[in-house]
Amino acid sequence: MPMTGDEAMKRLLACKGKDPYSILGVTPTCTDDDIKRYYKRQAVLVHPDKNKQLGAEEAFKILVHAFDMIGEPERRAAYDKESAHVEQAWTELTELFAEFQQKVEAASKTIRCSYCGSGHKRVKIDRPSYAARNCNTCKIYHAAREGDIWAEAKYFGFIWRYYACMEGGVYDITKWAGCQKNSLKQLKPDSHNVQYRIAQGKYAGSSCKKHNGNGPGNNQGSSSRSDEPATNFEDLLNKIYGQMESNSQSNARRKNSKKSK
């Protein structure tokens, strides 16, 4: 509790915008008599008729406003009830946001599969896209473009690992490739050329597309795009976008029809 008018004024001005309990210097568990006692002590110190310092009038208004909110038992009960609702709503919003962040993080680590409809884990590896694909012919690592898929064999060809260039990085997509093995059956490991690319439809998951480019590392002629993490949120956005696009086309046809008439 401040002892002088200057101390009381500075404390109240610093409390501007805070809850009424903090402004009055009490806790939510205090009694109604405590609130009145703390209010009267500070009101005497900052009342404009007694405290002529610049800022005393503003400090007094802050104090009075706080007391008006919780000074009477009925008003205090209403304030506490409203504060509890706000705190609960904020807690729920924080939990929902945290859950959404977790889903986004999980989705960023998966690649959607058009065969099983689920997401398979993808692991980013420490390899740059400009030296991503191992080539047994040239004995070097060739550059990979967005959407490229390739395989590398180890231990005399007994173990294969599948990789893809996605979002500018190189990912191990072996688990996804295991589900797509029928589409990748002609893929040769450590190949000189890119044989397959990731193809993604508007609403479907990712699948393989045979790449018919010619020449070393030639990726021309492919129209597929890289895979993006799929979530329920993304599906919702796709549906909304599709509906908006459909409505826009319908409106355009109606306008053209009116013009022709």
Side-chain angles (χ1 to χ4, degrees):
M1 176 63 66
M3 302 301 295
T4 66
D6 184 62
E7 291 177 356
M9 180 188 69
K10 290 180 178 179
R11 195 195 76 82
L12 288 169
L13 292 175
C15 288
K16 185 177 182 180
K18 294 186 177 181
D19 65 276
Y21 289 103
S22 299
I23 293 173
L24 293 169
V26 295
T27 64
T29 58
C30 70
T31 65
D32 294 333
D33 291 337
D34 290 335
I35 293 176
K36 293 179 180 179
R37 183 168 62 253
Y38 273 64
Y39 166 72
K40 290 179 180 180
R41 288 182 182 179
Q42 295 179 86
V44 171
L45 296 174
V46 296
H47 196 284
D49 292 342
K50 297 184 178 181
N51 191 332
K52 302 299 182 181
Q53 297 183 77
L54 184 65
E57 183 176 356
E58 178 68 16
F60 182 72
K61 289 180 180 180
I62 294 172
L63 181 67
V64 171
H65 180 66
F67 183 75
D68 287 342
M69 296 178 71
I70 61 173
E72 298 297 330
E74 296 81 5
R75 294 180 181 178
R76 182 183 180 184
Y79 173 82
D80 290 345
K81 184 178 181 180
E82 182 178 354
S83 297
H85 289 162
V86 172
E87 184 177 357
Q88 181 181 0
W90 179 253
T91 300
E92 292 176 355
L93 180 62
T94 303
E95 291 175 352
L96 286 173
F97 183 70
E99 183 181 350
F100 175 71
Q101 282 185 314
Q102 291 177 355
K103 289 183 177 180
V104 170
E105 184 178 357
S108 67
K109 297 179 181 179
T110 61
I111 176 172
R112 190 72 173 269
C113 180
S114 59
Y115 277 78
C116 66
S118 62
H120 298 290
K121 185 178 180 180
R122 65 173 186 172
V123 181
K124 191 171 185 178
I125 63 173
D126 187 19
R127 189 184 298 182
S129 60
Y130 59 81
R133 299 186 299 105
N134 181 50
C135 175
N136 277 344
T137 304
C138 303
K139 305 301 180 183
I140 62 172
Y141 281 86
H142 291 303
R145 295 182 62 182
E146 193 74 12
D148 286 351
I149 305 174
W150 65 95
E152 296 179 9
K154 296 182 179 180
Y155 304 109
F156 304 100
F158 288 105
I159 296 178
W160 284 30
R161 305 299 297 182
Y162 293 83
Y163 302 94
C165 182
M166 306 168 68
E167 301 163 8
V170 179
Y171 289 84
D172 185 326
I173 59 168
T174 303
K175 290 187 177 181
W176 176 83
C179 202
Q180 299 267 343
K181 58 184 178 181
N182 289 332
S183 298
L184 294 168
K185 57 186 178 181
Q186 296 182 6
L187 179 62
K188 297 179 181 179
D190 305 293
S191 175
H192 184 71
N193 297 326
V194 174
Q195 297 172 285
Y196 289 87
R197 307 201 76 221
I198 291 176
Q200 175 157 331
K202 194 170 186 179
Y203 301 107
S206 300
S207 59
C208 299
K209 180 178 181 180
K210 190 74 174 2
H211 179 53
N212 296 319
N214 297 318
N218 183 10
N219 290 321
Q220 300 297 324
S222 175
S223 60
S224 61
R225 52 178 196 159
S226 63
D227 174 59
E228 299 173 355
T231 63
N232 292 335
F233 182 69
E234 182 191 44
D235 292 339
L236 177 62
L237 290 179
N238 283 335
K239 291 178 181 178
I240 293 174
Y241 174 78
Q243 184 64 39
M244 291 174 61
E245 188 177 32
S246 177
N247 292 340
S248 176
Q249 292 176 353
S250 298
N251 291 335
R253 285 195 295 268
R254 282 197 293 269
K255 288 181 181 179
N256 293 333
S257 178
K258 291 180 180 179
K259 288 181 181 180
S260 62
K261 292 179 179 180

